[in-house]
Amino acid sequence: MRVLVTGGAGFIGSNFIRHLLATEPACHIVNLDKLTYAGNLENLADIERDPRYRFIKGSICDALLVNELLRDGFDALINFAAESHVDRSIQDARTFAETNVLGTQTILEACRRHQVPRMMQVSTDEVYGSLGPSGHFVEDSPLRPNSPYAASKAAADLLILAYFRTYGSPVIITRSSNNYGPYQFPEKVIPLFITNALAGESLPLYGDGLYVRDWLHVQDHCEALALVLKDGVAGEVYNIGGNCERANIDVARLILSTLGKPDTLIRHVKDRLGHDRRYALGTAKIEQALGWKPRISFETGLQETVRWYEGHAPWWTRIKEGQYREYYRETYGDLSQVSRQPSVM
Ligand code: NAD
Ligand code: TYD
């Protein structure tokens, strides 16, 4: 099987490439990635010499390049490429519209032209919008995205479904809940909190900290994606959730207790604009259709993730001391002087 992975140098894409190479001996993977601030070839250092793997630097918005690649003949394209951070989309939505919407349309059109038998879009539960204290989203729940990030992903989902209905394009959408695990860029809440705690810095908790996310280990997500790639049905949407809702404040406390650090490191900061209160996914469809269920409990997965970041300090230190530093300072100010910062905890 020849697979074109787009956005494979980021968090989930790099884990997926490693998973597919390990579980599908006959697969060949080309990874097309623009290497934005979030793309990092270090994430794939252990497999870069595998003869079944090739990296190409470029954008999914580059129609000439995408068409040239697809001329080689692929059995599937799986798209991870995206601007993926909600807070950045609130600061500047432009690249979100470009990559997440136009980039996806560019891929769709190229797949149609070259008759690629399968195109998979890695989407998100955020397209459904926010939930109250109970209930969950199913695959045909209405799309009510709130952040510019979520809106750009919803727009891409709608384009994909339109290509299925209009042209019969063999597309599949997966919508997963919040992922965590190795190689996640430390702007997302779990790796941000772990690396801050490791550095003795405070953990910036938005608002009251009672916002709820459904957590899914990236390995469970990759297993689900591989199953959908093999046995998913064209034109369908599959939710991939962890069945594991946690309030942000509880996640922060669990990280601190795992590291033997005090809760006083938690600092309540200004809330995110338009902050979605709660996400939760119904996953009966993928469980019944493909026999998938998440296997890694949050407590085990989080503990392993904390240990991974402890053991990979050079990886995240390079990121935090590089370009990311400026964004981080602008967003949070200086979090290093913990003892002098008032904490409401
Ligand atoms: P990430 O930000 O870690 O990685 C994104 C990757 O896409 C990077 O390697 C980046 O260089 C690349 N990229 C960005 N723009 C590109 C372009 N124009 N052309 C080619 N490559 C480009 O993101 P992630 O967390 O790995 O998420 C991967 C996908 O999964 C995204 O589509 C995201 O919307 C979706 N998703 C993520 C989560 C999560 O919790 N992280 C949950 C649900 C869905
Ligand atoms: P995030 O990891 O950005 O994922 P998403 O917004 O896609 O769910 O945020 C997860 C939750 O953590 C969300 O409710 C916002 C909150 N959060 C904080 O409290 N502090 C932070 O510094 C960040 C980045 C997020």
Side-chain angles (χ1 to χ4, degrees), residues 180-256:
Y180 70 101
Y183 297 108
Q184 186 166 32
F185 195 89
E187 67 186 346
K188 304 284 169 31
V189 75
I190 287 186
L192 177 71
F193 282 6
I194 295 172
T195 55
N196 278 20
L198 284 169
E201 295 179 1
S202 53
L203 279 50
L205 188 67
Y206 294 164
D208 61 9
L210 299 178
Y211 294 86
V212 171
R213 295 295 182 265
D214 169 30
W215 290 103
L216 174 69
H217 194 280
V218 67
Q219 181 60 30
D220 278 328
H221 189 189
C222 290
E223 286 173 16
L225 291 173
L227 266 181
V228 175
L229 185 63
K230 229 164 66 188
D231 297 326
V233 174
E236 295 293 323
V237 176
Y238 297 90
N239 283 349
I240 307 175
N243 233 325
C244 171
E245 292 181 45
R246 294 288 185 280
N248 295 336
I249 192 159
D250 294 328
V251 173
R253 286 184 179 133
L254 189 56
I255 289 169
L256 290 169

